[in-house]
Amino acid sequence: LYVVADGMGGAQAGETASHLAVETVRRVVEQAPSRAPSLLQSAISEANTQVGMAAERDPALDGMGTTLVAVLDNQVELFVGSVGDSRVYTFFNGALSQVTQDQSWVNDVGRRLGLDDATLKTHPMRHVLTMAIGVSDQLRVNTYRLDPKPGMLILLCSDGLHGVVPDKDLSAALALPGSLEEQATRLIELAKVGGGPDNITAVLLKVS
Protein backbone atom coordinates (compact mmCIF):
# COMPACT_ATOMS: atom_id res chain seq x y z
CA LEU A 1 0.00 0.00 0.00
CA TYR A 2 1.39 3.40 -1.04
CA VAL A 3 -0.32 6.66 -0.08
CA VAL A 4 0.18 10.40 -0.51
CA ALA A 5 -2.07 12.90 1.31
CA ASP A 6 -1.86 16.70 1.11
CA GLY A 7 -3.62 18.35 4.04
CA MET A 8 -5.35 21.72 4.12
CA GLY A 9 -6.91 24.00 6.71
CA GLY A 10 -3.86 25.55 8.37
CA ALA A 11 -0.67 23.93 9.62
CA GLN A 12 -2.07 21.94 12.54
CA ALA A 13 -5.35 21.04 10.83
CA GLY A 14 -3.78 20.04 7.53
CA GLU A 15 -1.18 17.87 9.23
CA THR A 16 -3.82 16.24 11.42
CA ALA A 17 -6.17 15.54 8.51
CA SER A 18 -3.52 14.03 6.26
CA HIS A 19 -2.00 11.90 9.04
CA LEU A 20 -5.38 10.61 10.21
CA ALA A 21 -6.48 9.82 6.66
CA VAL A 22 -3.32 7.86 5.85
CA GLU A 23 -3.43 5.91 9.11
CA THR A 24 -7.11 5.07 8.62
CA VAL A 25 -6.54 3.77 5.10
CA ARG A 26 -3.57 1.71 6.32
CA ARG A 27 -5.60 0.22 9.18
CA VAL A 28 -8.57 -0.72 7.00
CA VAL A 29 -6.34 -2.35 4.40
CA GLU A 30 -4.34 -4.26 7.03
CA GLN A 31 -7.50 -5.61 8.65
CA ALA A 32 -9.23 -6.64 5.41
CA PRO A 33 -9.44 -10.40 4.76
CA SER A 34 -8.54 -9.91 1.09
CA ARG A 35 -7.46 -7.19 -1.29
CA ALA A 36 -10.66 -6.88 -3.28
CA PRO A 37 -11.09 -4.16 -5.93
CA SER A 38 -13.51 -2.31 -3.63
CA LEU A 39 -11.11 -2.22 -0.67
CA LEU A 40 -9.53 1.15 -1.43
CA GLN A 41 -12.92 2.79 -1.86
CA SER A 42 -14.02 1.46 1.53
CA ALA A 43 -10.76 2.52 3.20
CA ILE A 44 -10.89 6.04 1.79
CA SER A 45 -14.56 6.40 2.74
CA GLU A 46 -13.68 5.40 6.31
CA ALA A 47 -10.88 7.99 6.29
CA ASN A 48 -13.44 10.61 5.32
CA THR A 49 -15.60 9.62 8.29
CA GLN A 50 -12.70 9.71 10.74
CA VAL A 51 -11.39 13.10 9.60
CA GLY A 52 -14.89 14.58 9.74
CA MET A 53 -15.47 13.26 13.26
CA ALA A 54 -12.11 14.60 14.46
CA ALA A 55 -12.98 18.07 13.15
CA GLU A 56 -16.33 17.96 14.96
CA ARG A 57 -14.65 17.08 18.28
CA ASP A 58 -12.04 19.85 18.18
CA PRO A 59 -13.01 23.42 17.15
CA ALA A 60 -9.35 24.14 16.36
CA LEU A 61 -9.56 21.58 13.54
CA ASP A 62 -12.81 22.87 12.05
CA GLY A 63 -12.67 23.02 8.27
CA MET A 64 -9.70 20.69 7.90
CA GLY A 65 -9.44 18.29 4.99
CA THR A 66 -6.95 16.48 2.81
CA THR A 67 -6.40 15.10 -0.64
CA LEU A 68 -5.44 11.44 -0.83
CA VAL A 69 -4.16 9.15 -3.53
CA ALA A 70 -3.37 5.48 -2.92
CA VAL A 71 -2.01 2.52 -4.86
CA LEU A 72 -2.71 -1.01 -3.61
CA ASP A 73 -0.83 -4.03 -4.97
CA ASN A 74 -2.68 -7.35 -4.90
CA GLN A 75 0.18 -9.21 -6.68
CA VAL A 76 -1.79 -9.34 -9.95
CA GLU A 77 -2.83 -5.76 -10.65
CA LEU A 78 -2.68 -2.37 -8.99
CA PHE A 79 -5.77 -0.64 -7.63
CA VAL A 80 -5.74 3.16 -7.48
CA GLY A 81 -8.04 5.42 -5.46
CA SER A 82 -8.00 9.21 -5.36
CA VAL A 83 -9.76 12.21 -3.84
CA GLY A 84 -8.73 15.77 -4.64
CA ASP A 85 -5.77 16.75 -6.82
CA SER A 86 -2.88 14.58 -5.71
CA ARG A 87 -2.00 12.39 -8.68
CA VAL A 88 -0.72 9.05 -9.94
CA TYR A 89 1.34 8.83 -13.12
CA THR A 90 2.94 5.91 -14.93
CA PHE A 91 6.18 6.15 -16.90
CA PHE A 92 6.80 3.29 -19.32
CA ASN A 93 8.80 3.01 -22.56
CA GLY A 94 9.60 6.71 -22.38
CA ALA A 95 5.95 7.81 -22.10
CA LEU A 96 4.42 9.61 -19.11
CA SER A 97 0.70 8.97 -18.54
CA GLN A 98 -1.54 10.61 -15.96
CA VAL A 99 -3.71 7.93 -14.36
CA THR A 100 -5.90 9.99 -12.03
CA GLN A 101 -8.12 12.95 -12.81
CA ASP A 102 -8.11 15.95 -10.47
CA GLN A 103 -11.29 16.70 -8.57
CA SER A 104 -10.83 20.43 -9.01
CA TRP A 105 -12.58 23.55 -10.26
CA VAL A 106 -10.41 23.44 -13.38
CA ASN A 107 -11.61 19.96 -14.38
CA ASP A 108 -15.15 20.02 -13.07
CA VAL A 109 -16.11 23.59 -13.98
CA GLY A 110 -13.49 25.43 -16.01
CA ARG A 111 -13.12 22.87 -18.81
CA ARG A 112 -16.89 22.47 -19.05
CA LEU A 113 -17.13 26.23 -19.57
CA GLY A 114 -14.78 25.85 -22.53
CA LEU A 115 -11.86 27.76 -21.03
CA ASP A 116 -8.55 27.01 -22.75
CA ASP A 117 -5.45 25.69 -20.98
CA ALA A 118 -3.68 29.06 -21.01
CA THR A 119 -6.61 30.69 -19.20
CA LEU A 120 -6.97 27.82 -16.73
CA LYS A 121 -3.29 27.96 -15.75
CA THR A 122 -3.70 31.50 -14.39
CA HIS A 123 -7.37 31.45 -13.34
CA PRO A 124 -7.93 32.57 -9.70
CA MET A 125 -10.00 29.40 -9.06
CA ARG A 126 -7.35 26.99 -10.39
CA HIS A 127 -6.35 25.71 -6.91
CA VAL A 128 -9.90 25.16 -5.65
CA LEU A 129 -10.85 21.52 -5.00
CA THR A 130 -14.33 20.16 -5.65
CA MET A 131 -13.75 17.14 -3.40
CA ALA A 132 -11.58 16.46 -0.34
CA ILE A 133 -11.53 14.02 2.56
CA GLY A 134 -13.19 15.32 5.73
CA VAL A 135 -15.16 18.12 4.10
CA SER A 136 -18.48 16.42 3.28
CA ASP A 137 -20.37 13.19 3.84
CA GLN A 138 -20.96 13.09 0.09
CA LEU A 139 -17.53 11.78 -0.86
CA ARG A 140 -16.76 10.73 -4.42
CA VAL A 141 -13.76 8.42 -4.69
CA ASN A 142 -12.27 7.98 -8.16
CA THR A 143 -10.94 4.47 -8.72
CA TYR A 144 -8.73 2.99 -11.43
CA ARG A 145 -6.88 -0.24 -12.24
CA LEU A 146 -3.34 -0.58 -13.54
CA ASP A 147 -1.73 -3.50 -15.31
CA PRO A 148 1.85 -3.45 -13.97
CA LYS A 149 4.59 -4.16 -16.51
CA PRO A 150 8.23 -4.90 -15.63
CA GLY A 151 10.24 -1.69 -15.62
CA MET A 152 7.19 0.57 -15.26
CA LEU A 153 7.64 3.53 -12.90
CA ILE A 154 4.67 4.71 -10.86
CA LEU A 155 4.67 8.20 -9.36
CA LEU A 156 2.35 9.39 -6.59
CA CYS A 157 2.67 13.11 -5.90
CA SER A 158 1.08 16.22 -4.44
CA ASP A 159 0.33 19.36 -6.46
CA GLY A 160 3.49 20.84 -5.02
CA LEU A 161 5.22 18.77 -7.72
CA HIS A 162 2.80 18.40 -10.64
CA GLY A 163 1.46 21.94 -10.24
CA VAL A 164 4.95 23.38 -10.69
CA VAL A 165 6.85 20.99 -12.97
CA PRO A 166 5.44 20.50 -16.51
CA ASP A 167 4.78 16.95 -17.71
CA LYS A 168 7.60 17.14 -20.26
CA ASP A 169 10.09 17.90 -17.47
CA LEU A 170 8.69 15.13 -15.26
CA SER A 171 9.12 12.74 -18.17
CA ALA A 172 12.67 13.88 -18.91
CA ALA A 173 13.68 13.49 -15.25
CA LEU A 174 12.21 9.99 -14.99
CA ALA A 175 14.02 8.96 -18.17
CA LEU A 176 17.42 9.65 -16.60
CA PRO A 177 19.26 6.72 -14.96
CA GLY A 178 19.51 6.40 -11.19
CA SER A 179 18.01 4.75 -8.15
CA LEU A 180 14.42 5.47 -7.16
CA GLU A 181 15.70 7.73 -4.39
CA GLU A 182 17.88 9.66 -6.84
CA GLN A 183 15.02 10.04 -9.29
CA ALA A 184 12.57 11.18 -6.60
CA THR A 185 15.12 13.69 -5.30
CA ARG A 186 15.60 14.97 -8.85
CA LEU A 187 11.84 15.58 -9.16
CA ILE A 188 11.70 17.47 -5.87
CA GLU A 189 14.66 19.63 -6.89
CA LEU A 190 12.84 20.54 -10.12
CA ALA A 191 9.87 21.76 -8.08
CA LYS A 192 12.19 23.79 -5.84
CA VAL A 193 13.80 25.39 -8.89
CA GLY A 194 10.28 26.20 -10.10
CA GLY A 195 9.70 28.21 -6.93
CA GLY A 196 8.54 25.50 -4.49
CA PRO A 197 5.36 27.41 -3.52
CA ASP A 198 3.74 24.38 -1.86
CA ASN A 199 4.64 21.19 -0.01
CA ILE A 200 6.37 18.79 -2.42
CA THR A 201 5.67 15.11 -1.83
CA ALA A 202 6.60 12.25 -4.17
CA VAL A 203 6.49 8.46 -3.84
CA LEU A 204 8.16 6.57 -6.68
CA LEU A 205 7.69 2.85 -7.36
CA LYS A 206 9.22 0.51 -9.93
CA VAL A 207 7.62 -2.72 -11.08
CA SER A 208 10.14 -5.54 -10.77
Side-chain angles (χ1 to χ4, degrees), residues 73 75-78 90-93 95 97 145-154 205-208:
D73 180 9
Q75 306 302 314
V76 177
E77 59 186 334
L78 300 175
T90 60
F91 183 75
F92 186 64
N93 285 341
S97 299
R145 291 189 181 194
L146 287 177
D147 178 20
K149 298 177 174 62
M152 175 185 284
L153 291 174
I154 300 166
L205 320 174
K206 186 172 185 178
V207 181
S208 61

Short mmCIF file of all heavy atoms in Angstrom, two decimals, residues 73 75-78 90-93 95 97 145-154 205-208:
data_model
loop_
_atom_site.label_atom_id
_atom_site.label_comp_id
_atom_site.label_asym_id
_atom_site.label_seq_id
_atom_site.Cartn_x
_atom_site.Cartn_y
_atom_site.Cartn_z
N ASP A 73 -1.32 -2.91 -4.18
CA ASP A 73 -0.83 -4.03 -4.97
C ASP A 73 -1.44 -5.32 -4.45
O ASP A 73 -1.29 -5.65 -3.28
CB ASP A 73 0.70 -4.07 -4.85
CG ASP A 73 1.33 -5.21 -5.64
OD1 ASP A 73 0.62 -5.87 -6.42
OD2 ASP A 73 2.55 -5.43 -5.47
N GLN A 75 -0.73 -8.23 -6.05
CA GLN A 75 0.18 -9.21 -6.68
C GLN A 75 -0.22 -9.56 -8.11
O GLN A 75 0.53 -10.27 -8.79
CB GLN A 75 0.27 -10.49 -5.84
CG GLN A 75 0.66 -10.28 -4.38
CD GLN A 75 1.99 -9.57 -4.24
OE1 GLN A 75 2.96 -9.92 -4.90
NE2 GLN A 75 2.04 -8.57 -3.36
N VAL A 76 -1.36 -9.09 -8.58
CA VAL A 76 -1.79 -9.34 -9.95
C VAL A 76 -1.96 -8.02 -10.71
O VAL A 76 -1.48 -7.86 -11.82
CB VAL A 76 -3.12 -10.13 -9.99
CG1 VAL A 76 -3.59 -10.31 -11.43
CG2 VAL A 76 -2.95 -11.47 -9.30
N GLU A 77 -2.64 -7.08 -10.07
CA GLU A 77 -2.83 -5.76 -10.65
C GLU A 77 -2.74 -4.71 -9.55
O GLU A 77 -2.63 -5.04 -8.36
CB GLU A 77 -4.17 -5.67 -11.38
CG GLU A 77 -5.37 -5.95 -10.50
CD GLU A 77 -6.67 -5.99 -11.29
OE1 GLU A 77 -6.75 -5.35 -12.36
OE2 GLU A 77 -7.62 -6.66 -10.82
N LEU A 78 -2.76 -3.47 -9.95
CA LEU A 78 -2.68 -2.37 -8.99
C LEU A 78 -4.01 -1.62 -8.98
O LEU A 78 -4.52 -1.25 -10.04
CB LEU A 78 -1.56 -1.40 -9.37
CG LEU A 78 -0.15 -2.00 -9.44
CD1 LEU A 78 0.84 -0.96 -9.96
CD2 LEU A 78 0.29 -2.50 -8.08
N THR A 90 2.05 7.01 -14.57
CA THR A 90 2.94 5.91 -14.93
C THR A 90 3.95 6.43 -15.94
O THR A 90 3.66 7.35 -16.71
CB THR A 90 2.18 4.72 -15.54
OG1 THR A 90 1.50 5.14 -16.73
CG2 THR A 90 1.18 4.15 -14.55
N PHE A 91 5.14 5.83 -15.91
CA PHE A 91 6.18 6.15 -16.90
C PHE A 91 6.68 4.82 -17.44
O PHE A 91 7.25 4.02 -16.70
CB PHE A 91 7.31 6.95 -16.26
CG PHE A 91 8.37 7.37 -17.24
CD1 PHE A 91 8.12 8.41 -18.13
CD2 PHE A 91 9.61 6.74 -17.29
CE1 PHE A 91 9.09 8.80 -19.06
CE2 PHE A 91 10.58 7.13 -18.19
CZ PHE A 91 10.32 8.16 -19.08
N PHE A 92 6.45 4.58 -18.74
CA PHE A 92 6.80 3.29 -19.32
C PHE A 92 7.17 3.49 -20.79
O PHE A 92 6.47 4.18 -21.53
CB PHE A 92 5.62 2.32 -19.21
CG PHE A 92 5.92 0.92 -19.64
CD1 PHE A 92 6.85 0.15 -18.95
CD2 PHE A 92 5.28 0.36 -20.74
CE1 PHE A 92 7.13 -1.15 -19.35
CE2 PHE A 92 5.56 -0.93 -21.14
CZ PHE A 92 6.48 -1.69 -20.45
N ASN A 93 8.30 2.89 -21.18
CA ASN A 93 8.80 3.01 -22.56
C ASN A 93 8.91 4.47 -23.00
O ASN A 93 8.57 4.83 -24.13
CB ASN A 93 7.90 2.24 -23.54
CG ASN A 93 8.11 0.74 -23.44
OD1 ASN A 93 9.14 0.27 -22.93
ND2 ASN A 93 7.16 -0.03 -23.94
N ALA A 95 7.20 7.03 -22.05
CA ALA A 95 5.95 7.81 -22.10
C ALA A 95 5.38 8.01 -20.70
O ALA A 95 5.23 7.06 -19.94
CB ALA A 95 4.93 7.11 -22.98
N SER A 97 2.17 8.97 -18.44
CA SER A 97 0.70 8.97 -18.54
C SER A 97 0.10 9.33 -17.19
O SER A 97 0.49 8.76 -16.17
CB SER A 97 0.19 7.60 -18.97
OG SER A 97 0.70 7.24 -20.24
N ARG A 145 -7.68 0.98 -12.31
CA ARG A 145 -6.88 -0.24 -12.24
C ARG A 145 -5.69 -0.10 -13.17
O ARG A 145 -5.81 0.48 -14.26
CB ARG A 145 -7.70 -1.46 -12.65
CG ARG A 145 -8.80 -1.84 -11.67
CD ARG A 145 -9.41 -3.18 -12.05
NE ARG A 145 -10.48 -3.55 -11.13
CZ ARG A 145 -11.00 -4.76 -11.06
NH1 ARG A 145 -10.56 -5.73 -11.84
NH2 ARG A 145 -11.98 -5.03 -10.21
N LEU A 146 -4.55 -0.61 -12.73
CA LEU A 146 -3.34 -0.58 -13.54
C LEU A 146 -2.83 -1.99 -13.77
O LEU A 146 -2.84 -2.82 -12.86
CB LEU A 146 -2.24 0.22 -12.84
CG LEU A 146 -2.39 1.74 -12.77
CD1 LEU A 146 -1.23 2.33 -11.97
CD2 LEU A 146 -2.41 2.33 -14.17
N ASP A 147 -2.38 -2.24 -14.98
CA ASP A 147 -1.73 -3.50 -15.31
C ASP A 147 -0.22 -3.28 -15.22
O ASP A 147 0.36 -2.66 -16.11
CB ASP A 147 -2.13 -3.93 -16.73
CG ASP A 147 -1.44 -5.22 -17.15
OD1 ASP A 147 -0.98 -5.97 -16.27
OD2 ASP A 147 -1.35 -5.46 -18.37
N PRO A 148 0.43 -3.74 -14.14
CA PRO A 148 1.85 -3.45 -13.97
C PRO A 148 2.71 -4.24 -14.96
O PRO A 148 2.50 -5.43 -15.18
CB PRO A 148 2.13 -3.90 -12.53
CG PRO A 148 1.09 -4.92 -12.24
CD PRO A 148 -0.12 -4.54 -13.03
N LYS A 149 3.67 -3.53 -15.56
CA LYS A 149 4.59 -4.16 -16.51
C LYS A 149 6.02 -3.99 -15.99
O LYS A 149 6.35 -2.92 -15.45
CB LYS A 149 4.45 -3.52 -17.89
CG LYS A 149 3.06 -3.69 -18.50
CD LYS A 149 2.96 -2.97 -19.84
CE LYS A 149 1.62 -3.25 -20.51
NZ LYS A 149 0.48 -2.77 -19.71
N PRO A 150 6.87 -5.01 -16.13
CA PRO A 150 8.23 -4.90 -15.63
C PRO A 150 8.94 -3.66 -16.16
O PRO A 150 8.90 -3.38 -17.36
CB PRO A 150 8.90 -6.18 -16.15
CG PRO A 150 7.77 -7.15 -16.28
CD PRO A 150 6.58 -6.32 -16.72
N GLY A 151 9.55 -2.91 -15.25
CA GLY A 151 10.24 -1.69 -15.62
C GLY A 151 9.40 -0.44 -15.52
O GLY A 151 9.93 0.68 -15.60
N MET A 152 8.08 -0.59 -15.36
CA MET A 152 7.19 0.57 -15.26
C MET A 152 7.47 1.34 -13.97
O MET A 152 7.61 0.75 -12.91
CB MET A 152 5.74 0.12 -15.30
CG MET A 152 4.72 1.23 -15.09
SD MET A 152 3.01 0.61 -15.00
CE MET A 152 2.69 0.30 -16.75
N LEU A 153 7.55 2.66 -14.07
CA LEU A 153 7.64 3.53 -12.90
C LEU A 153 6.26 4.07 -12.59
O LEU A 153 5.47 4.38 -13.49
CB LEU A 153 8.59 4.69 -13.17
CG LEU A 153 10.08 4.36 -13.31
CD1 LEU A 153 10.86 5.60 -13.72
CD2 LEU A 153 10.64 3.79 -12.02
N ILE A 154 5.94 4.17 -11.31
CA ILE A 154 4.67 4.71 -10.86
C ILE A 154 4.95 5.83 -9.88
O ILE A 154 5.65 5.63 -8.89
CB ILE A 154 3.80 3.62 -10.21
CG1 ILE A 154 3.53 2.49 -11.22
CG2 ILE A 154 2.49 4.20 -9.70
CD1 ILE A 154 2.99 1.24 -10.61
N LEU A 205 7.63 4.31 -7.37
CA LEU A 205 7.69 2.85 -7.36
C LEU A 205 8.20 2.35 -8.71
O LEU A 205 8.03 3.01 -9.72
CB LEU A 205 6.28 2.26 -7.15
CG LEU A 205 5.35 2.94 -6.16
CD1 LEU A 205 3.98 2.30 -6.21
CD2 LEU A 205 5.92 2.87 -4.76
N LYS A 206 8.81 1.15 -8.68
CA LYS A 206 9.22 0.51 -9.93
C LYS A 206 8.76 -0.93 -9.91
O LYS A 206 9.00 -1.65 -8.94
CB LYS A 206 10.73 0.58 -10.10
CG LYS A 206 11.20 0.06 -11.46
CD LYS A 206 12.68 0.31 -11.67
CE LYS A 206 13.10 -0.10 -13.08
NZ LYS A 206 14.54 0.18 -13.32
N VAL A 207 8.10 -1.35 -10.98
CA VAL A 207 7.62 -2.72 -11.08
C VAL A 207 8.79 -3.62 -11.40
O VAL A 207 9.50 -3.40 -12.40
CB VAL A 207 6.54 -2.84 -12.17
CG1 VAL A 207 6.04 -4.27 -12.26
CG2 VAL A 207 5.38 -1.88 -11.88
N SER A 208 9.00 -4.64 -10.57
CA SER A 208 10.14 -5.54 -10.77
C SER A 208 9.74 -6.68 -11.70
O SER A 208 8.57 -6.84 -12.05
CB SER A 208 10.61 -6.09 -9.43
OG SER A 208 9.59 -6.83 -8.81
#
